[in-house]
Amino acid sequence: MIAEVIVDIATSETDRIFDYLCDGDTVVGSRVRAPFGGKTVPGFVMKIKEKSEVPFEKLKKVIPCPDELPAINGECLALAEKITARYRVPKALTLRLFLPSEMRTGKVRELTRNYAELLVPILEMKLSKTAKNQAGAAEYLAKNGKSDCALVNNLFPGGIAGLEKKGYVKITQEQILRDPYKSVEGENAVRTLTDDQNRAVQTIQTDARTVQLLHGVTGSGKTEIYLTLIAKCLKEGKSSIFLVPEISLTPQMLAQLRARFGKNAAILHSGLSAGERFDEWWRLRTGEAKIAIGARSAIFAPLENIGVIIVDEEHDSSYASETAPRYNTFDVAYLRAKRNGCKLVLGSATPSVETYKRAKEGEFSLIRLEKRVNERPLPEIIISDMRREVRRGNNSAFSFALKEELEKCLSAGKQAILFLNRRGYSQTVICKECGYVAKCEACDVSLTYHRDEDCLKCHYCGAKYSMLSACPECGGIKLSYAGTGTQRIVAELQKLYPTARILRMDNDTTSGKEGHYKILKTFADKKADILVGTQMIAKGHDFPSVTLVGILDADMSLHFSDYRSRERTFQLITQVAGRSGRAEEKGKVVLQTFDPENEVLRFATRYDYLGFYENEISLRAAMLFPPFTKIVRILVTGEDEKKTLEGLKEVYFAMKELYERNAEKFLFFDKMHAPIKRIQNKYRYQVLSRISDTSILPEIYALCAEARTREVLVSVEENPSNLS
Ligand code: ADP
Ligand code: ZN
């Protein structure tokens, strides 16, 4: 038989598919090792066929890998085909989504452990008097039976090796699966569902539509509904996929999932090592685990017979991939749901305008949960007019109202969350004499001062520069720190409340294996009083002791020149406010703004999603913005400025040609610099268009695939959530 094998998928940007000879029992989707240019490289069987165009004597034979199962199941292969065709990317790129990195590179580490057991009773051993460790090890094994060599070696170094030489012990190797959640504990608190929750579960199970939108205010018990749906599937022997924004995999959430589903759940999150991820993935592939839980990439989980797919916080921007293939998680989830004949449940307190429109028009089912569990009230939102604060001589980052509430909260022994969507100490460093602004050498952006490291950092490439003592342009020494970041907030808070225990959570404090997990755990264990953070603290967390939330700069996201900035502001405020008062105690929120009359803020403080939606959708309709049209950005990037410009020209002329043939389908179309002209030494240009008819999308993808070269990357983004 002949196998079409895709090789080198770990690094290749192109498809390298070759014919090989294979055994008759080789299956599609399985892993092989293929002779290639004098080496053997890992590959995957994409297709089995009878004949090859290549002359027989030139065909080489692949070596099968002894896996119990092909790495990629039939459904995933079919899905990969669809994604490849939809986004016009090489198969190799798509396949990467379906395989853990260790498997792609062929470096699967099977974790094994050595065990020793005695072959000879101690009394029959001939040990020299000085070999104390051998005697110790022998006694240990006699007493405890077969034991982990590493453990015994710790107690009696070299003991086992000595015994083995004499033939007194046998050493065996056994495979162990890493258990990343050994230390995660939680109670399995299965709750009786409220009437609202029961009704939601009923509807989701019986409504005929594939997509079910669960629109429930924060704290309305959506999580409990998801868990019930998953448990029902498990009972029927079906598998489930549960997607959350990465950051929602909080300590409590992990504990809850572990307690509820034990080893039936494979929880994939960024805190896991590559080996641990691989093991979790493999447990899903073999069917040992039936529930895949994780961020957007978990939509590619190697499951069969899926009973439900859940996307929590469906409006979250993390569901759009920003690397090729730039897939949309919803589209992939929909394909899988259709194929498995199961429901796709989208949950949010603030659904995206696009999703809500489709639900309102009846394409999706719409389920509302209007109250918090046990009728707990939503927190009261107090607006602080910062213009007035300035007039009253308050130039600090905190309004009088916020300070007052903070004091009350702290003295009552409760916890507070302060939200500011800007990390670092100050946003920019400006020379007061000449106006010079410190900028990154590799990117076209200003640098942020970080006080803890006393350096300037680029938030786009991570580069660090030493802090300036004088202006490099004019030599002036009057440098001003403009714009407040989270570090500065913490410093000022600590001055105001010297005894308060303050935690900071942003991109700078959450790197490393445990990342945000540790910070959230500390806060959940009430080892801190105030949590200061960027938008990563807004999502999904359930801290019962939090009774105060401060939103320090509610206007910040309003002023982006992006059609979604109002929507994002509304979502952010609702989400952050939703962290307050989730248990018995009533919560409060202080919202600081320079624009208290702003209608988006007004809707948000009244928790009026419907009002906001109606207002927003009519604006979008009037301005012909999505969801009434589609914004398509073609991003052309490369290190060589000339070649990148040539790439841009090629794309532009191809688009122009398409435009001239289909002018009625375009509302707008132009080429320009991307808002940030350079990131990590790569020049960035874009062709921006707004289209009213998506039937030309395949042609746009095709012309971009055509223009892509080794040096110039051309990518297509539909309604991009990040327009930098
Ligand atoms: P959401 O995901 O909608 O924001 P959660 O699922 O986090 O809401 O629920 C909010 C709080 O209510 C949580 O503390 C949760 O433990 C609790 N809760 C949810 N459902 C029930 C129930 N049926 N009975 C008692 N408490 C519940
Ligand atoms: Zn940079």
Coordinates of all heavy atoms in Angstrom, one line a residue, residues 142-194:
A142 N 12.6 -5.6 51.8 CA 12.0 -6.8 52.5 C 10.7 -6.3 53.2 O 9.7 -7.0 53.2 CB 13.0 -7.4 53.5
K143 N 10.8 -5.2 53.8 CA 9.7 -4.7 54.6 C 8.6 -4.1 53.7 O 7.4 -4.4 54.0 CB 10.2 -3.6 55.6 CG 9.3 -3.3 56.7 CD 10.0 -2.4 57.8 CE 9.0 -1.4 58.3 NZ 9.7 -0.2 58.8
N144 N 9.0 -3.3 52.7 CA 8.0 -2.6 51.9 C 7.6 -3.2 50.6 O 6.7 -2.7 49.9 CB 8.4 -1.2 51.7 CG 8.6 -0.4 53.0 OD1 7.7 -0.1 53.7 ND2 9.9 -0.1 53.3
G145 N 8.3 -4.3 50.3 CA 8.0 -4.9 49.0 C 8.5 -4.0 47.8 O 9.4 -3.1 48.1
K146 N 8.1 -4.3 46.6 CA 8.5 -3.5 45.4 C 8.4 -2.0 45.7 O 7.4 -1.5 46.0 CB 7.6 -4.0 44.3 CG 8.0 -3.5 43.0 CD 7.2 -4.3 42.0 CE 7.1 -3.6 40.6 NZ 6.2 -4.4 39.7
S147 N 9.6 -1.3 45.5 CA 9.6 0.1 45.8 C 10.3 0.9 44.7 O 11.1 0.4 43.9 CB 10.3 0.4 47.1 OG 9.8 -0.4 48.1
D148 N 9.9 2.2 44.7 CA 10.5 3.1 43.7 C 12.0 3.3 44.0 O 12.4 3.6 45.1 CB 9.8 4.5 44.0 CG 10.3 5.5 43.0 OD1 11.3 5.3 42.3 OD2 9.6 6.6 42.9
C149 N 12.9 3.0 43.0 CA 14.3 3.0 43.2 C 14.8 4.4 43.7 O 15.7 4.5 44.5 CB 15.0 2.7 41.9 SG 14.9 1.0 41.4
A150 N 14.2 5.5 43.1 CA 14.6 6.8 43.5 C 14.5 7.0 45.0 O 15.3 7.6 45.7 CB 13.9 7.8 42.7
L151 N 13.4 6.5 45.5 CA 13.1 6.7 46.9 C 14.1 5.9 47.8 O 14.6 6.5 48.8 CB 11.7 6.1 47.2 CG 10.9 6.5 48.4 CD1 10.1 7.8 48.0 CD2 10.0 5.4 48.8
V152 N 14.4 4.7 47.4 CA 15.3 3.9 48.2 C 16.7 4.4 48.1 O 17.4 4.5 49.1 CB 15.3 2.4 47.7 CG1 16.2 1.5 48.5 CG2 13.8 1.9 47.7
N153 N 17.0 4.9 46.9 CA 18.4 5.5 46.7 C 18.6 6.8 47.5 O 19.7 7.1 48.0 CB 18.6 5.8 45.2 CG 19.2 4.6 44.5 OD1 19.9 3.8 45.1 ND2 18.8 4.5 43.2
N154 N 17.5 7.5 47.8 CA 17.6 8.6 48.6 C 18.0 8.2 50.0 O 18.8 8.9 50.7 CB 16.2 9.3 48.7 CG 16.2 10.6 48.0 OD1 17.3 11.2 47.8 ND2 15.1 11.1 47.5
L155 N 17.4 7.2 50.5 CA 17.7 6.7 51.9 C 19.0 6.0 52.0 O 19.8 6.2 52.9 CB 16.5 5.8 52.3 CG 15.1 6.4 52.4 CD1 14.1 5.3 52.5 CD2 15.0 7.4 53.5
F156 N 19.3 5.1 51.0 CA 20.5 4.3 51.0 C 21.3 4.5 49.7 O 21.1 3.6 48.8 CB 20.1 2.9 51.3 CG 19.2 2.7 52.4 CD1 17.9 2.5 52.2 CD2 19.7 2.7 53.7 CE1 17.0 2.3 53.3 CE2 18.9 2.6 54.8 CZ 17.5 2.4 54.6
P157 N 22.0 5.5 49.5 CA 22.7 5.8 48.2 C 23.5 4.6 47.7 O 24.3 4.1 48.5 CB 23.5 7.0 48.5 CG 22.9 7.6 49.7 CD 22.4 6.5 50.5
G158 N 23.3 4.2 46.5 CA 24.1 3.2 45.9 C 23.7 1.8 46.3 O 24.2 0.8 45.8
G159 N 22.8 1.7 47.3 CA 22.4 0.4 47.9 C 21.9 -0.6 46.8 O 22.3 -1.7 46.7
I160 N 20.9 -0.1 46.0 CA 20.2 -1.0 45.1 C 21.2 -1.4 44.0 O 21.2 -2.6 43.6 CB 19.0 -0.2 44.4 CG1 18.0 -0.1 45.5 CG2 18.5 -1.0 43.3 CD1 16.7 0.5 45.0
A161 N 22.1 -0.5 43.5 CA 23.0 -0.9 42.5 C 23.9 -2.1 43.0 O 24.1 -3.0 42.2 CB 23.9 0.3 42.1
G162 N 24.3 -2.0 44.2 CA 25.2 -3.1 44.8 C 24.4 -4.4 44.8 O 24.9 -5.4 44.4
L163 N 23.1 -4.3 45.2 CA 22.3 -5.5 45.3 C 22.1 -6.1 43.9 O 22.1 -7.3 43.7 CB 21.0 -5.2 46.0 CG 21.1 -4.8 47.5 CD1 19.7 -4.4 48.0 CD2 21.6 -6.0 48.3
E164 N 21.9 -5.2 43.0 CA 21.6 -5.7 41.6 C 22.8 -6.4 41.0 O 22.6 -7.5 40.4 CB 21.2 -4.5 40.7 CG 20.6 -4.9 39.4 CD 20.5 -3.9 38.4 OE1 21.0 -2.8 38.6 OE2 19.8 -4.1 37.3
K165 N 24.0 -5.9 41.3 CA 25.2 -6.5 40.8 C 25.3 -8.0 41.2 O 25.7 -8.9 40.5 CB 26.4 -5.7 41.2 CG 27.2 -5.1 40.1 CD 28.5 -4.5 40.5 CE 28.6 -3.0 40.0 NZ 29.4 -2.2 40.9
K166 N 24.9 -8.2 42.5 CA 25.0 -9.5 43.0 C 23.8 -10.4 42.6 O 23.7 -11.5 43.0 CB 25.0 -9.4 44.6 CG 26.3 -8.7 45.1 CD 26.5 -9.0 46.6 CE 27.8 -8.4 47.1 NZ 27.7 -7.0 47.5
G167 N 22.9 -9.8 41.9 CA 21.7 -10.6 41.5 C 20.7 -10.7 42.5 O 19.8 -11.6 42.5
Y168 N 20.7 -9.9 43.6 CA 19.7 -10.0 44.7 C 18.4 -9.3 44.4 O 17.4 -9.5 45.0 CB 20.3 -9.5 46.0 CG 21.4 -10.3 46.5 CD1 22.3 -9.8 47.4 CD2 21.6 -11.7 46.1 CE1 23.4 -10.5 47.9 CE2 22.7 -12.4 46.5 CZ 23.6 -11.8 47.4 OH 24.6 -12.6 47.9
V169 N 18.4 -8.3 43.5 CA 17.2 -7.6 43.2 C 16.9 -7.5 41.7 O 17.8 -7.7 40.9 CB 17.1 -6.1 43.7 CG1 17.3 -6.0 45.2 CG2 18.2 -5.3 43.0
K170 N 15.6 -7.4 41.4 CA 15.3 -7.2 40.0 C 14.7 -5.8 39.8 O 14.0 -5.3 40.7 CB 14.1 -8.2 39.7 CG 13.7 -8.2 38.2 CD 12.7 -9.3 37.9 CE 11.3 -8.9 38.3 NZ 10.3 -9.9 38.0
I171 N 15.1 -5.1 38.7 CA 14.7 -3.8 38.5 C 13.7 -3.8 37.3 O 14.1 -4.3 36.2 CB 15.8 -2.8 38.3 CG1 16.6 -2.7 39.6 CG2 15.3 -1.4 37.9 CD1 17.7 -1.8 39.7
T172 N 12.6 -3.2 37.5 CA 11.6 -3.1 36.3 C 11.3 -1.7 36.1 O 11.3 -0.8 37.0 CB 10.3 -3.9 36.6 OG1 9.9 -3.5 37.9 CG2 10.5 -5.4 36.5
Q173 N 11.0 -1.4 34.8 CA 10.6 -0.1 34.4 C 9.1 0.0 34.2 O 8.5 -0.9 33.5 CB 11.3 0.3 33.1 CG 11.9 1.6 33.1 CD 12.6 1.9 31.8 OE1 12.2 1.5 30.7 NE2 13.7 2.7 31.9
E174 N 8.4 0.9 34.8 CA 7.0 1.0 34.6 C 6.6 2.4 34.2 O 7.2 3.4 34.6 CB 6.3 0.7 35.9 CG 6.3 -0.8 36.1 CD 5.7 -1.2 37.4 OE1 4.9 -0.5 38.0 OE2 6.1 -2.3 37.9
Q175 N 5.7 2.5 33.3 CA 5.2 3.8 32.8 C 4.3 4.5 33.8 O 3.4 3.8 34.4 CB 4.5 3.7 31.5 CG 4.3 5.1 30.9 CD 3.3 5.0 29.7 OE1 3.0 4.0 29.1 NE2 2.8 6.2 29.4
I176 N 4.5 5.7 34.1 CA 3.6 6.4 35.0 C 3.0 7.6 34.3 O 3.7 8.2 33.4 CB 4.2 6.9 36.3 CG1 5.5 7.7 36.0 CG2 4.5 5.7 37.2 CD1 5.9 8.6 37.1
L177 N 1.8 7.9 34.5 CA 1.3 9.1 34.0 C 1.4 10.2 35.0 O 1.2 10.0 36.2 CB -0.2 8.9 33.7 CG -0.5 8.1 32.4 CD1 -2.0 7.9 32.3 CD2 0.0 8.7 31.2
R178 N 1.9 11.3 34.5 CA 2.1 12.5 35.5 C 0.7 12.9 35.9 O -0.2 13.0 35.1 CB 2.8 13.6 34.7 CG 4.2 13.3 34.4 CD 4.7 14.1 33.2 NE 4.3 13.4 32.0 CZ 5.2 13.1 31.0 NH1 6.4 13.5 31.1 NH2 4.8 12.4 30.0
D179 N 0.6 13.3 37.1 CA -0.7 13.8 37.6 C -0.5 15.2 38.0 O -0.1 15.5 39.1 CB -1.2 12.9 38.8 CG -2.6 13.4 39.3 OD1 -3.1 14.4 38.7 OD2 -3.1 12.9 40.2
P180 N -0.9 16.1 37.1 CA -0.6 17.5 37.5 C -1.5 18.1 38.6 O -1.2 19.2 39.1 CB -0.9 18.3 36.1 CG -1.7 17.3 35.3 CD -1.4 16.0 35.8
Y181 N -2.5 17.4 38.9 CA -3.5 17.9 39.9 C -3.4 17.2 41.2 O -4.4 17.3 42.0 CB -4.9 17.9 39.3 CG -4.9 18.7 38.0 CD1 -5.0 18.0 36.8 CD2 -4.8 20.1 38.0 CE1 -5.0 18.7 35.6 CE2 -4.8 20.8 36.9 CZ -4.9 20.1 35.7 OH -4.8 20.8 34.5
K182 N -2.3 16.6 41.5 CA -2.1 15.9 42.7 C -2.5 16.8 43.9 O -3.1 16.3 44.9 CB -0.6 15.5 42.9 CG -0.3 14.1 42.3 CD 1.0 13.6 42.9 CE 2.2 14.5 42.5 NZ 2.8 14.2 41.2
S183 N -2.0 18.0 43.9 CA -2.2 18.9 45.0 C -3.5 19.6 45.0 O -3.8 20.4 46.0 CB -1.0 19.9 45.1 OG -1.1 20.6 43.9
V184 N -4.3 19.5 44.0 CA -5.5 20.2 43.9 C -6.6 19.5 44.6 O -6.9 18.3 44.3 CB -6.0 20.5 42.4 CG1 -7.3 21.2 42.4 CG2 -4.9 21.3 41.7
E185 N -7.2 20.1 45.6 CA -8.2 19.4 46.4 C -9.5 20.3 46.4 O -9.4 21.5 46.3 CB -7.8 19.2 47.8 CG -6.9 18.0 48.0 CD -6.2 18.0 49.4 OE1 -6.9 18.6 50.3 OE2 -5.1 17.5 49.5
G186 N -10.6 19.7 46.5 CA -11.8 20.4 46.6 C -12.9 19.5 47.1 O -12.8 18.3 47.0
E187 N -14.0 20.2 47.5 CA -15.1 19.4 47.9 C -16.1 19.2 46.7 O -16.2 20.1 45.9 CB -15.9 20.1 48.9 CG -15.4 20.0 50.3 CD -16.1 21.0 51.2 OE1 -17.3 20.9 51.4 OE2 -15.5 22.0 51.6
N188 N -16.7 18.0 46.6 CA -17.6 17.8 45.6 C -19.0 18.3 46.0 O -19.8 17.5 46.5 CB -17.6 16.3 45.2 CG -18.5 16.1 44.0 OD1 -19.0 17.1 43.4 ND2 -18.7 14.9 43.6
A189 N -19.2 19.6 45.9 CA -20.5 20.1 46.3 C -21.5 20.2 45.2 O -21.5 21.1 44.4 CB -20.2 21.5 46.9
V190 N -22.2 19.1 45.0 CA -23.2 19.1 44.0 C -24.4 19.8 44.5 O -24.9 19.4 45.6 CB -23.6 17.6 43.5 CG1 -24.7 17.7 42.5 CG2 -22.4 16.9 43.0
R191 N -24.8 20.9 43.9 CA -25.9 21.7 44.4 C -27.2 21.3 43.8 O -27.2 20.9 42.6 CB -25.6 23.2 44.2 CG -24.3 23.6 44.9 CD -24.1 25.0 44.7 NE -22.9 25.4 45.4 CZ -21.7 25.4 44.9 NH1 -21.5 25.0 43.7 NH2 -20.7 25.7 45.6
T192 N -28.3 21.5 44.5 CA -29.6 21.3 43.9 C -29.8 22.6 43.0 O -29.6 23.7 43.5 CB -30.7 21.3 45.0 OG1 -30.1 20.5 46.1 CG2 -31.9 20.7 44.5
L193 N -30.2 22.3 41.8 CA -30.3 23.4 40.9 C -31.5 24.3 41.3 O -32.5 23.8 41.8 CB -30.5 22.9 39.4 CG -29.3 22.2 38.8 CD1 -29.6 22.0 37.3 CD2 -28.0 23.0 39.0
T194 N -31.4 25.6 41.1 CA -32.6 26.5 41.3 C -33.5 26.2 40.1 O -33.2 25.6 39.1 CB -32.1 27.9 41.2 OG1 -31.6 28.2 40.0 CG2 -31.1 28.2 42.3

